[in-house]
Every structure is written in C-alpha cells, then in structure tokens.
Amino acid sequence: MRQKNQKHHAFINRYLPFLIWGKSLNKQSLMADFMAGLTGAVVVLPQGIAYALIAGLPPEYGLYTAIITPIIAALFGSSFHLISGPTAAISIVVFSVANNIANNTAIESSEFIGIVLTLTLLTGIIQYLFGLMRLGSLVNFISHTVIVGFTTGAALLIATSQFKYVLGVELASDNHFFASWWQLIQRLPETSFYTLSIALVTLVSIQLIKRFNPKLPAMLLGMIVGSLFTWLINGKEHGVPLVGELPNMIPQMSLPSLSFDLMTSLLPGAMAVAILGLVEALAIARAIGVRSGQRIEGDKEFMGQGLSNIVGSFFACYAGSGSFTRSGVNYDSGAKTPMAAIFAALLLILILLTIPQITEYLPLPVMAAAILLIAFNLVDVSSIRHILSDKEESAILMVTFISTLTIALEFAIYFGVILSLILYLRRTSKPRIIELAPLSIEDNHNFRNVERFSLKTCPQIKTIRLDGSIYFASVDHIQDTISALKPDKGGHTHFVLVCSGVNFIDFAGKEMLVKEIERIESLGGRLVFCDFKNTLMDDLNGSGYLDLMTRENIYSDTSQAITSLMAELNHKRCETCTNRIFSVCPK
C-alpha cells in the first residue's frame, strides 16, 4: 500500500505538480503572489508588444503569449519563480524560421501567422517529448559559448531591424544583415528629425529611470515619456508612425495548420526553437533556484515548457520560453509560488479589457528604442571577455556569431554545437600523458612529473600517468606516445601505466590495452597498470577484459607495480646504473 502511494505521489509530482504546491497556498502567500503578479503584468506589457514586433507578428500576439504561456508553464513546470512567455532570442528565431518558409509572404499576414502557430505547436511537441523521455541532459551539448555567440548575433539582428523606425526611413524587405545595413547607410540623408528625437528621448528616459530608481518599471515609464514627447512635437502630423489600437484583446481560439508538407519543412527550425527555449528556461530556472533554494527538475520543466507551447498554439500564441528579466522581477517582488505567474497573466487580461486603446497612440520609434535596449541587454560583455581569453572557445564564439548574421538562425545554433563537439573530441582525443618518478628514494610513494621537478628516471621502467578517457578517439594518441618511449639500449623497457586520472574506457580502448600488452611483451617487456578506479575495475571485470589483460598485470598502487617488475629487470644493467631512484632497486 505504501509503495502504491509513493507511485501515485510520483505520478502527481511529475504530471500534475500544481496539485502538490496548490496545497501549500494560504492567505499570506496569495497576497505576496498577487503583488508580484501586479508588478509582472506592468513589466510584460511593453515587452510583449516589443517581442511580437521582433517576431514579425501583430502586437497583440505578444500579449496573447504573455497570458497563456506563463499560466500553463506555471501549472505544469518545476520552478516556483520562472516566468515564461515571449523572449527576444526566441522571437528573432521564430521570425527567421517562419520568414524562410513563407517565401517572402508579407509578415503579419494570415499565412505568415499560420506558419508561426504551426511552428509553435511543433516546438511544444518536441519539448514535451524531451521531458517525457527524460532527455534533459541533451541541453548540456549546447555550450555556454554557443549561447553567448548566438544571443550576441541575435541582438545585432534585432537592433538592425529597428533602425528603420529610429531613423524614419523606408527599407526594402530584406532579411539579410549586411544588405540591411547597406540600405541604412544609403538612406542616412533621409533621416527624420522627429523619429530620431523621439527614439533618443525614450532611450535617455529609460536609462535615467533605471539609474535613479531601479525598482520602477523603467521601460513602461520611458515609453510613456516618449509618447508624451511625440504628442508635444505633433509627431503624428509629421509622419511619425503609430502602433495603433490592438484588436481582439483576449486570446482567441486558433488552429495551427497540420499540413504534412508544412510540418516537415518546419521541423529543423522547430527543433532549434525547442532546444534554444529549453536552454533558456532551464538556465534561468536554475539560476533563480540557487537564490531561492529550490531544486529544479529539468525533465518536468521541459514538459511544462512543451505544454505551454502546445496549448498556446491553439490560442494565437507564438513560441515562448523563460524570461530572465520577468523571472528576476518576480522573485525580487516576493513571489512565493507559481500563482504569481498566473496572477500576472490574469491582471494583464484585466488591463487590456479596461484600457483597450493602450497602444493606439504608441509611436513606433518609441517601441524601436525599447527594443534597442532589449537587444543591448542580450549582449553578455563579461562572458565574451572571458571567452576571448581561450583560443578554442573564441573560435566557437566567432563561428556561432558570424553564422547567426549570415545564415538561417536555426542552423547557426547547429553550427556552434557541431564545432563545440568537434573541438571537444579534438581535446579529449589527446589526453595528457606524463612521465612520473619518485620525488626521492626515501619517499617512493610520492610520484611527480619528471619534467616539472627535473627528476631522474629508471632506464628500464617507464612510469606514465594518463589523464583522460581511453576511448575510440584517443587510442591512436595513447599508442603513439607509448611507442615513442624508446627501449633501453641494454635491455627491454617495461611500462607502468598509472590510471588514477582515467574515468572511462570504451570497447576500442579496452582492445587497445590488450594489444599494447601483447606488443610490449613481444619486445621482451611488460605493461602493467595501477590505480584503476573501482568503477573501472567493475566495468573491466564485467566485460571480461580483466582476464584478457591478465589480473597479474593490475596493481592497487604504483609501488606495488614497480616492485613486481624488479624481477624482470636486467640486473647487470642495474649494477652500472647511476639513477638509483627506487628503494627496491637492486644494490
């Protein structure tokens, strides 16, 4: 009975987590969550509109995503403080993927929106399946450097897309980064003083508010200042474009296209959006979990993110993920449970119902200025500085960054991941192999690096330590290094391989070790091993390779291995040797 109850609790925790944390709700927590939700609703209002514009969608779609996505993610996710919804990086990838499939169909058209909804559905299905199959570890294959390179490139693309609104110039419909900048440079003389001044006033206002009182909703207040400035200078009469009133403010039921051809063509892009979204959400949830003391369950978070996008695709939402800004604000505002995210969404609905004309007089240059700041905040200058100090990581950063600017964004992520894996295999294919010797004849248990400590070595016994895994990519390097250690002129060379730094040996590695034993024995020497970890010994024993390597060749420590080889040495050579380094050396 007890075991049955445990299974039932595990099922509820995994698939219906809101039934568990819902029991802990009380008056105090609900009040704290309500106040945090009120702050969150104010913060997401301008962001939702801005992100929708980045994704090439009408502004209301960003708000729909800010309503439906966080509710579902809160109910079925793992984190108590993560706020999901539209994000800058996901928005630019959604636009890139949908625009490539749309074949130059006008953005914000019904066909373009239909593609985006199908992309959202596929993204959610992939994310949910990842969680269902417990594939949370897959996100570990996307290194931090890849994410930094991608978000930096995405930030530049986002900023580039907004300069036409800042300068007030018309640009041809072109999604290419360099072509867009060439057009901008050509049209600089056509810059509108009105749009540029409105954007600058908005930028300065947001920055000043952030500086003097970081707790205030700087973006919202800065946009209000920019809108008031537009009114003061009669911007509308001078051709300053406005966002306009948002129709149908409450999320409407929608049906993604289930066309097999469309879904097939969207699949690579959906995979990229799904993975990027999961990386974003999990990284943010874990970062806040460190502060709150909550343990984040990656697979459950995957399922929550997946469900939020699946459900969202039927309510006119585009793909969302965790937002670092809104999640941080949520935690700092005193949120106790996921109810804060739900309150924020419900309060956003209330705001839109009571003030439906909230964007009617919102100038596009004001939105562009806010988006420019969002893009700027995507650039992690500190991480870039650290990455550039490492040549290989710098290469990954630059390849991902340049790919983001020059090719379809979904493939830029793949480029970065592939290069990361290639460089990882390159590094691990050449594990460090260090020759060792005792620090002194009195201390034969303390073996150190011969080169670093300028130690004498035995001409007949080579003691080497291997730091790294013995697997298919590293076997050639290990064999070549051992072979390069020339036999002693007066006899044969014996080898002690210290394996304290070895964590893993695959089939190819085990075969190589057996062949090396046979090769060295054919030359009259012996290859023995010591300091295997218990887990490796269990693996070798279970696979039958312990017997193939012969148990007599394996010792618990270096001293035992050295002692076992003493009988094999050419003792006449020992008599003339001046490098007496072992306490067991023949006198």
Side-chain angles (χ1 to χ4, degrees), residues 26-324:
N26 54 50
K27 186 178 179 180
Q28 289 75 23
S29 68
L30 285 172
M31 182 56 67
D33 289 338
F34 179 82
M35 295 309 296
L38 180 59
T39 305
V42 172
V43 170
V44 77
L45 183 61
Q47 285 190 348
I49 297 170
Y51 293 149
L53 296 177
I54 292 172
L57 296 167
E60 62 266 24
Y61 282 78
L63 298 176
Y64 296 162
T65 306
I67 292 169
I68 301 297
T69 303
I71 291 177
I72 304 300
L75 290 173
F76 295 95
S78 168
S79 174
F80 278 16
H81 300 100
L82 180 70
I83 301 294
S84 296
T87 70
I90 297 292
S91 297
I92 188 68
V93 181
V94 166
F95 173 75
S96 175
V97 173
N99 198 47
N100 289 338
I101 301 298
N103 294 321
N104 296 320
T105 298
I107 61 173
E108 299 191 14
S109 66
S110 58
E111 183 181 342
F112 183 86
I113 292 170
I115 292 170
V116 170
L117 295 180
T118 303
L119 174 64
T120 303
L121 175 62
L122 282 176
T123 297
I125 291 172
I126 292 168
Q127 291 175 329
Y128 190 79
L129 288 176
F130 275 10
L132 204 60
M133 295 186 291
R134 301 181 185 275
L135 297 178
S137 60
L138 280 179
V139 299
N140 296 329
F141 287 99
I142 303 183
S143 69
H144 178 65
T145 303
V146 171
I147 296 299
V148 171
F150 173 79
T151 51
T152 304
L156 204 49
L157 287 174
I158 291 169
T160 301
S161 70
Q162 298 305 307
F163 271 108
K164 61 183 178 182
Y165 301 119
V166 171
L167 301 178
V169 297
E170 292 289 333
L171 296 183
S173 178
D174 197 325
N175 194 38
H176 297 293
F177 173 75
F178 296 105
S180 296
W181 271 102
W182 178 242
Q183 290 179 48
L184 280 171
I185 292 169
Q186 288 180 314
R187 285 167 172 74
L188 274 178
E190 303 170 17
T191 299
S192 166
F193 165 78
Y194 291 95
T195 57
L196 181 59
S197 61
I198 291 167
L200 290 175
V201 166
T202 306
L203 282 171
V204 172
S205 299
I206 295 173
Q207 292 297 87
L208 287 175
I209 293 167
K210 277 184 178 180
R211 182 172 181 179
F212 289 109
N213 195 337
K215 293 184 179 181
L216 291 175
M219 186 174 292
L220 182 64
L221 294 177
M223 289 167 66
I224 291 173
V225 171
S227 300
L228 289 174
F229 179 74
T230 305
W231 175 74
L232 286 173
I233 64 173
N234 295 318
K236 188 176 180 180
E237 295 179 9
H238 292 90
V240 175
L242 306 176
V243 172
E245 185 178 347
L246 302 177
N248 301 321
M249 299 309 298
I250 303 303
Q252 304 295 308
M253 287 289 292
S254 58
L255 185 64
S257 171
L258 300 179
S259 162
F260 179 78
D261 290 339
L262 176 60
M263 293 177 77
T264 303
S265 60
L266 281 172
L267 195 58
M271 181 67 75
V273 175
I275 292 174
L276 180 62
L278 293 177
V279 170
E280 260 193 324
L282 201 57
I284 295 166
R286 284 176 174 168
I288 295 179
V290 169
R291 296 172 63 189
S292 67
Q294 185 196 1
R295 180 178 172 273
I296 304 300
E297 300 174 56
D299 293 326
K300 189 162 74 176
E301 196 59 55
F302 280 18
M303 294 169 72
Q305 292 296 317
L307 274 176
S308 70
N309 284 319
I310 291 172
V311 174
S313 68
F314 293 94
F315 285 91
C317 303
Y318 72 94
S321 181
S323 164
F324 189 83

